[in-house]
């Protein structure tokens, strides 16, 4: 059985203390290194807990390497690969979300890329964190690229069924993805249904842009909130992120108390 590594353990510990976490997603394709450095500094000051690096549209090895080098120079927070494909993995990363797009219709995204990527991850010495990745409607770019059959928004029980299947397959995290930059994030009732189905760590991302929706996701049961587009589209990353992260922590602390 895959042992829990340092990064995952650190996530578990922080969750016990804070109740909920915020991860900042950086797509290596979308900006130069000067901007990455700025984002990292401001996001860390705003209280983010880790950086994820990846994207669906050709976030390849060279760009991932440059981006991770910049992040590593700017912070000690963990850098986690959020793989769009096998070439997003570099030895500079601390961990990789070793994920399977369970509701894909194409076996490549369920087990194929994983078979090709497993040895890459081992050789790079990067900690794999086993994760079920579920695309919820509309799903954005990843839904198209990943040949997903996006889970209908009004059918939370389907998301719950996949999440439980992920747990039974040995995955320790489940990521509910609405798609990067979409208008509406994963519905609260979907998060709540998944919370009832599994004790696994629930990560929610896609279209989260304000503190209210971040808070609602945590109250519904999310453990980790991911924002990407928000930090890329706003010059003043700190001002945008700080209120969202503070709301996530507030809702998380309440959970720890109860
Ligand atoms: C995308 O869930 C992440 O894979 C983050 O989405 O870019 O909309 O924040 P946003």
């Amino acid at each position: 059985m895959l042992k829990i590594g340092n990064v995952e353990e650190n996530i578990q510990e922080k969750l016990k203390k804070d109740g909920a976490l915020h991860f900042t997603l950086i797509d290596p394709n979308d900006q130069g290194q000067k901007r990455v450095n700025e984002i990292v500094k401001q996001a860390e000051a705003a209280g983010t807990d880790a950086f994820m690096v990846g994207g669906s549209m050709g976030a390849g090895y060279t760009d991932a390497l440059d981006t991770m080098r910049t992040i590593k120079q700017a912070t000690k927070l963990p850098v986690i690969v959020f793989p769009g494909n096998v070439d997003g993995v570099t030895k500079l990363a601390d961990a990789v979300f070793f994920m399977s797009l369970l509701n894909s219709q194409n076996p490549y995204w369920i087990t194929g890329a994983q078979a090709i990527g497993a040895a890459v991850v081992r050789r790079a010495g990067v900690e794999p964190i086993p994760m079920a990745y579920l695309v919820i409607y509309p799903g954005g770019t990843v839904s198209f690229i990943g040949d997903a059959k996006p889970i209908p928004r009004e059918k939370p029980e389907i998301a719950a069924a996949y999440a439980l299947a992920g747990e039974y397959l040995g995955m320790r995290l489940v990521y509910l993805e609405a798609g990067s930059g979409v208008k509406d994030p994963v519905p609260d009732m979907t998060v709540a249904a998944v919370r009832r189905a599994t004790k696994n760590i629930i990560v929610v991302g896609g279209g989260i842009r304000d503190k209210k929706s971040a808070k609602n996701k945590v109250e519904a049961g999310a453990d980790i909130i991911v924002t990407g587009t928000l930090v890329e589209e706003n010059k003043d990353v700190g001002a945008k992120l700080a209120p969202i992260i503070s709301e996530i922590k507030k809702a998380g602390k309440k959970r720890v108390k109860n």
Side-chain angles (χ1 to χ4, degrees), residues 243-256:
I244 293 177
I245 297 176
S246 121
E247 208 63 35
I248 290 170
K249 298 289 171 180
K250 235 195 281 167
K253 289 273 185 215
K254 248 189 232 162
R255 182 192 295 165
V256 175

Side-chain angles (χ1 to χ4, degrees), residues 25 52 54-56 82 133 142 175-182 204-209 226-232:
L25 172 64
M52 289 161 53
S56 312
F82 184 49
Y133 188 54
V142 71
Y175 194 122
L176 306 177
E177 172 72 83
S180 186
V182 295
V204 180
I208 297 174
R209 293 183 180 77
V226 178
T227 57
T229 304
L230 179 86
V231 296
E232 292 184 359

Side-chain angles (χ1 to χ4, degrees), residues 10-37:
N10 180 264
I11 292 172
Q12 288 179 351
E13 289 305 313
K14 265 191 152 179
L15 274 173
K16 263 187 223 151
K17 190 165 76 60
D18 287 1
L21 307 179
H22 173 268
F23 286 6
T24 301
L25 172 64
I26 298 181
D27 188 329
N29 282 353
D30 290 349
Q31 63 274 301
Q33 299 315 308
K34 200 166 155 258
R35 175 70 181 151
V36 171
N37 179 60

